[in-house]
Amino acid sequence: MGTSLVSPASNQRRSGPVKSAPGAAPAAAPVGVRSAVPDSETDLIRRLQAGEEAAFAELVRTYGPRMLAAARRFLPREADAADVLQDAFLSVFRGVGGFEGGSRLSTWLHRVTVNAALMRIRARSRRPEVQAEESLLFQSTRRRASEPPTAADALGRGEILDCVRSGLTQLPEEIRAVVRLRDIEGMELREISGLLGVCCSTVKTRLHRGRMALRGLLEARFGALE
Amino acid sequence: MNCERFDNLLEASLTDPLGPVDQAEFDAHLSACPACVVTLQHYVITTQALQALGALESVEETPALPERLVQKILAGRAAATQVRRGTKTA
């Protein structure tokens, strides 16, 4: 009986997967972690649903920074991330009237942002310069993988995370999206397939290539990982 | 089995456990190929690092948005609201 070699991400960072199709504001009452909602959040939602202008400005200033950070993780270029943020907020403004508080506001906003980023990724055609970046990345990791790793001292966890974070930005965006959705957001491959509009086998291939590329970068930088 | 086949089986295992024949082939290659043993170990470490990165990102501080971006977002809401109102009265 075969065993799963790499355990799937069981500790989902976000409460619940991003279920909505790109382009649509997520369902008004997404299921999430049952936790006490701060009064300030409940009050903000009430004010938003009442159409209070100051509430919208507060929403943007309070939650916008984290949403922008999430957008950047899928689309590192600042202009792209800013566009995603604007798209996300337009979806939020349209959908907040139906938000029923089934999850934390921050969770819902995060899902909207990820959806907006995925929409951009789906819509973009692969440009020649992206293909060139990909070939450089994968060529370099293949060469290094054939060289025996050298012994290395024990590494601080932070160094490895920094390398992985940097490596993610070097991946082609459609591969980076899959790696982030699976290994960081904790989504199932079928859900990713639906969001990106590609078949499961394509998702699996992209995930594997992304992981192997990152593995190669870690190996090239640190040698044998203890 | 060669290393490319090993890589294909590793990819295949992402969605479903390997069947007994493939698993036996996979295990046999691991016992004979130190490089693929290292590859697999590093692959697992990479996946664990990604999960750890997710945990780190969820608590990282984020700087305030540039005010021009805030205003742009709010202007977008105002424009969308006007369009909706314009549609209703048309």
Side-chain angles (χ1 to χ4, degrees):
Chain A
M1 174 68 178
T3 55
S4 176
L5 294 162
V6 179
S7 57
S10 57
N11 52 332
Q12 283 191 351
R13 193 162 67 88
R14 305 291 169 184
S15 51
V18 185
K19 289 189 179 294
S20 301
V31 176
V33 173
R34 302 277 178 200
S35 59
V37 178
D39 289 342
S40 57
E41 181 174 306
T42 304
D43 183 62
L44 177 60
I45 294 167
R46 179 190 59 76
R47 289 161 56 211
L48 289 167
Q49 292 178 336
E52 184 183 314
E53 288 303 321
F56 288 102
E58 181 180 330
L59 178 75
V60 173
R61 291 197 170 92
T62 303
Y63 294 93
R66 191 163 289 283
M67 292 167 69
L68 181 62
R72 278 198 198 106
R73 287 167 195 144
F74 286 88
L75 292 163
R77 290 194 186 119
E78 202 58 36
D80 293 337
D83 287 344
V84 165
L85 183 66
Q86 290 176 74
D87 292 345
F89 269 115
L90 284 176
S91 292
V92 168
F93 297 151
R94 279 196 304 268
V96 71
F99 182 73
E100 295 179 1
S103 67
R104 289 291 300 272
L105 181 58
S106 58
T107 301
W108 181 59
L109 294 173
H110 177 79
R111 292 178 195 166
V112 174
T113 305
V114 171
N115 275 348
L118 296 181
M119 267 205 68
R120 291 247 162 196
I121 291 170
R122 278 182 75 162
R124 276 141 78 108
S125 55
R126 289 169 63 86
R127 298 187 296 275
E129 59 270 25
V130 172
Q131 291 173 342
E133 288 165 12
E134 176 183 3
S135 70
L136 281 174
L137 176 65
F138 287 102
Q139 279 181 12
S140 65
T141 55
R142 284 198 198 102
R143 279 202 303 274
R144 287 166 184 148
S146 67
E147 297 161 3
T150 58
D153 296 331
L155 294 165
R157 194 177 173 81
E159 291 182 66
I160 293 180
L161 295 190
D162 287 344
C163 186
V164 168
R165 191 202 301 255
S166 170
L168 278 167
T169 65
Q170 298 176 51
L171 294 176
E173 61 188 25
E174 64 271 17
I175 292 180
R176 175 173 56 243
V178 171
V179 172
R180 279 207 161 268
L181 290 173
R182 176 70 184 124
D183 289 333
I184 295 179
E185 302 282 333
M187 290 183 59
E188 296 298 328
L189 296 190
R190 274 194 181 77
E191 291 170 298
I192 299 170
S193 165
L195 280 177
L196 292 178
V198 297
C199 60
C200 269
S201 63
T202 299
V203 173
K204 196 162 73 170
T205 297
R206 289 180 184 176
L207 177 63
H208 184 63
R209 291 182 74 197
R211 284 175 174 176
M212 289 296 277
L214 292 172
R215 177 207 61 80
L217 286 174
L218 285 177
E219 195 173 287
R221 169 117 182 249
F222 301 113
L225 297 170
E226 301 289 335
Chain B
M1 185 174 93
N2 59 25
C3 297
E4 184 178 345
R5 168 74 177 146
F6 173 85
D7 184 74
N8 291 339
L9 288 178
L10 182 57
E11 180 180 334
S13 71
L14 289 179
T15 46
D16 301 294
L18 297 177
V21 173
D22 286 342
Q23 186 69 53
E25 199 179 345
F26 189 90
D27 292 343
H29 184 74
L30 278 181
S31 66
C33 182
C36 283
V37 170
V38 173
T39 294
L40 179 59
Q41 289 171 341
H42 292 179
Y43 190 88
V44 172
I45 288 173
T46 299
T47 307
Q48 292 169 344
L50 284 163
Q51 293 170 12
L53 179 61
L56 176 67
E57 287 175 344
S58 67
V59 297
E60 279 181 330
E61 289 190 17
T62 49
L65 291 183
E67 188 58 26
R68 58 166 177 75
L69 183 54
V70 171
Q71 294 306 321
K72 200 170 178 184
I73 291 168
L74 294 174
R77 182 189 117 73
T81 303
Q82 285 177 352
V83 166
R84 280 198 299 276
R85 288 176 182 164
T87 301
K88 284 182 181 176
T89 56

